[in-house]
Structure formats: C-alpha cells, structure tokens
Amino acid sequence: MTLATFLAALAGALLSSLVPVVNAELLLMGLALASPASAPLLVVVMAAGQMAGKSVLFLGGGRLSRSEALERRLARWRLDERSPRARAPLVGISAFTGLPPFYLVSVAAPALGVPYRTFLVVGLAGRLLRFAILVSLPQLLACVSRIGGP
C-alpha cells in the first residue's frame, strides 16, 4: 500500500465519521479492490480513522445535558439507570450494523453513561468486523459463484 493510499483511507475515514453523507464503505471497497493485498491494513486504517472522528462526536456529546425528554426516551428504550449492561452492546451493534446510526450513538453515548474507554474499544471492534466483512464480500461472492456455477 502506498503512502497516498494510506492517507486517502485515513482522511476519508475521518471525514466520513463526521460528515454522514460521505460513505466510508464505498471508499474502502474502492481502495481494497484497487489494492487487494492491502485490504487487511486498509480495514485497520479505516476503522481507526472512523473511531478518531467518532471520538470527537463522543467528546462533543459529553457536553449535552440530560433533559427530561431524554430521560423519558431512555426509560422507554430501557436504557436508563436500570439497565447499564445494555449500553456497550448498543455501541457495538451500532458500530457493526449502522442501526441505530453510529453517528447518533456516538453523540448520545455520554448521556447514556457509556464510559469513553468502553465506547472506543467496543466501537473499534464493531467497525473492524464491519469493514473486514465488507472487504471479504467480493471473494465470498466469487467462491459462491464457482460452487453454484456449471
């Protein structure tokens, strides 16, 4: 992988983590298809870049106060003080699937009581899994087509 590819991946990941209309997955797929041997490193670079940007959102979200409306929603979603164990899985599921949007979860995580270290570790794991599966899809599809083909 060239330095320019590495910097493009890192810059794209940072930008996409802060600007929701910029798609990190499309960038990753394009870079991985252009340089398949670099795909594993691209996954790590993109996941790290995403979490750097999401950390900015997390730290900014820490300045939000817990309002009465937020308290009601947390209780309705069972994310109030009664269920602190649901917070880390919420971050992980969001980082992996994008549902609920990881952008929103990154901003809301401090108000939900998610410690920064937990957010960073669980979010990074989710992003690594998401991106690793994504760059593996072309190879998986090629294998499936060879198995099912004539």
Side-chain angles (χ1 to χ4, degrees):
M1 177 163 73
T2 66
L3 181 59
T5 305
F6 171 79
L7 292 175
L10 187 60
L14 279 167
L15 182 63
S16 70
S17 67
L18 298 171
V19 181
V21 295
V22 177
N23 193 304
E25 290 81 359
L26 287 177
L27 175 62
L28 175 61
M29 287 300 292
L31 292 173
L33 288 172
S35 179
S38 302
L41 185 55
L42 284 168
V43 166
V44 173
V45 168
M46 293 286 291
Q50 278 265 303
M51 288 312 297
K54 298 300 183 190
S55 292
V56 170
L57 295 174
F58 180 94
L59 297 172
R63 296 175 182 260
L64 299 175
S65 64
R66 287 180 76 157
S67 66
E68 187 177 313
L70 177 62
E71 291 294 336
R72 283 194 310 268
R73 284 193 176 123
L74 293 176
R76 183 176 63 212
W77 296 334
R78 300 205 190 324
L79 291 173
D80 56 354
E81 285 74 22
R82 294 175 289 178
S83 60
R85 293 178 297 191
R87 295 173 187 145
L90 175 68
V91 171
I93 290 168
S94 177
F96 178 65
T97 66
L99 295 171
F102 194 40
Y103 187 96
L104 297 177
V105 170
S106 299
V107 173
L112 295 174
V114 177
Y116 177 69
R117 184 177 297 174
T118 300
F119 171 78
L120 192 60
V121 170
V122 174
L124 181 62
R127 287 280 120 167
L128 284 169
L129 283 170
R130 178 184 182 92
F131 293 156
I133 289 171
L134 186 65
V135 298
S136 300
L137 281 178
Q139 294 170 342
L140 291 172
L141 293 175
C143 288
V144 169
S145 68
R146 280 193 300 253
I147 292 170

